[in-house]
Amino acid sequence: MSRSTSETSKTSKLTFKESLVLVSANGKTLKKRRLSFNQPISDDDLEAIAYDLEEEPIKPRSASRLLQSNVSYTYKRIIQKEFALNDPLHQSIIQDPTSQYLKATSLTDQDQEVKFDMGAYISTTEDSKFPVTLRISKTHLFVSAQEEDEPVLLKEMPETPKTITGSDTNLIFFWESHSDMNYFTSAAHPELLIATKEDSVVHMARGLPSMTEFQIS
């Protein structure tokens, strides 16, 4: 850092010869933005240096979302038909008639539980994962991932999508199976899985206190 020959008490004329990140004396990163050549340091910058006002770290979430939205998934075939999902509490999944959301609940009449079809997709960029869609059997309603703790939606499509990309990536889940437990991780939100709680709507979560494991029957 170099400073010019003139300074004032209110507006500092300190300037950078290079584009740098501001840090305090103890090494804390104070400003994430870079200053362009000869750009004056603001009063806020000086205050951050004086009082070690550390900014919240920038997370690469938006960059990850952008990369995910550019991936294309191509339909192959239906690999499982008319199966049910049950969580660790042995709850079944139903369509809640009052809200149109999916809901986990204990049933005495198993005829009420939702049956799903699982469609397999492929992606040239993610060979190690198994992308699938979950469609309510005998309908065009596909499970669509949302933000954390928000209920999954049922998105109606005119037909089974042959190619899924962009905003429709919410329809894709990465299916994993360990022993008799199955996990469905969102392609659009890679940190979130389909989840349940006791007598509650099916939603997206990272893990506990929500349950992200399912048995297929």
Side-chain angles (χ1 to χ4, degrees):
M1 179 190 297
S2 70
R3 60 183 181 182
S4 64
T5 56
S6 63
E7 299 177 5
T8 67
S9 58
K10 182 60 180 176
T11 304
S12 173
K13 297 300 183 181
L14 289 174
T15 59
F16 284 110
K17 286 186 176 179
E18 298 182 56
S19 179
L20 298 173
V21 177
L22 289 179
V23 296
S24 65
N26 63 8
K28 284 185 179 179
T29 301
L30 303 177
K31 290 288 181 182
K32 298 297 182 182
R33 66 179 175 82
R34 292 184 177 273
L35 300 178
S36 60
F37 295 109
N38 296 323
Q39 177 182 342
I41 304 176
S42 68
D43 290 340
D44 288 341
D45 295 332
L46 295 177
E47 184 180 2
I49 296 172
Y51 296 102
D52 280 4
L53 301 179
E54 187 172 11
E55 290 188 349
E56 182 181 354
I58 293 175
K59 298 178 181 179
R61 188 173 180 180
S62 58
S64 174
R65 294 274 179 84
L66 180 60
L67 291 175
Q68 290 294 335
S69 66
N70 289 332
V71 178
S72 178
Y73 300 90
T74 304
Y75 175 70
K76 296 299 291 182
R77 61 187 178 89
I78 297 294
I79 54 175
Q80 294 202 47
K81 294 190 69 175
E82 298 191 18
F83 63 89
L85 293 174
N86 303 99
D87 69 13
L89 294 180
H90 305 291
Q91 296 185 118
S92 301
I93 306 299
I94 66 169
Q95 265 187 279
D96 187 349
T98 63
S99 66
Q100 300 305 310
Y101 292 131
L102 294 177
K103 182 179 180 181
T105 190
S106 297
L107 289 178
T108 54
D109 181 5
Q110 299 304 314
D111 290 339
Q112 297 181 41
E113 67 183 356
V114 171
K115 300 292 187 181
F116 295 93
D117 297 339
M118 187 185 300
Y121 285 72
I122 60 171
S123 169
T124 55
T125 61
E126 293 170 334
D127 294 336
S128 63
K129 297 181 180 180
F130 202 146
V132 300
T133 56
L134 295 173
R135 181 188 66 192
I136 295 182
S137 301
K138 301 177 182 178
T139 75
H140 294 295
L141 297 175
F142 289 78
V143 176
S144 177
Q146 302 302 304
E147 299 286 348
E148 185 172 6
D149 294 329
E150 292 185 3
V152 301
L153 299 181
L154 295 175
K155 184 173 183 178
E156 187 166 12
M157 305 293 287
E159 61 181 8
T160 298
K162 298 300 185 287
T163 301
I164 293 178
T165 189
S167 61
D168 285 338
T169 305
N170 281 350
L171 303 178
I172 292 288
F173 298 89
F174 298 128
W175 175 37
E176 295 180 60
S177 181
H178 302 285
S179 298
D180 61 342
M181 289 299 179
N182 299 268
Y183 304 81
F184 298 94
T185 303
S186 171
H189 310 278
E191 71 280 10
L192 302 179
L193 297 88
I194 296 178
T196 61
K197 289 182 179 178
E198 186 173 5
D199 201 30
S200 182
V201 294
V202 180
H203 57 282
M204 303 303 300
R206 298 172 186 266
L208 295 174
S210 298
M211 298 169 287
T212 57
E213 307 93 349
F214 295 92
Q215 288 183 314
I216 291 178
S217 61

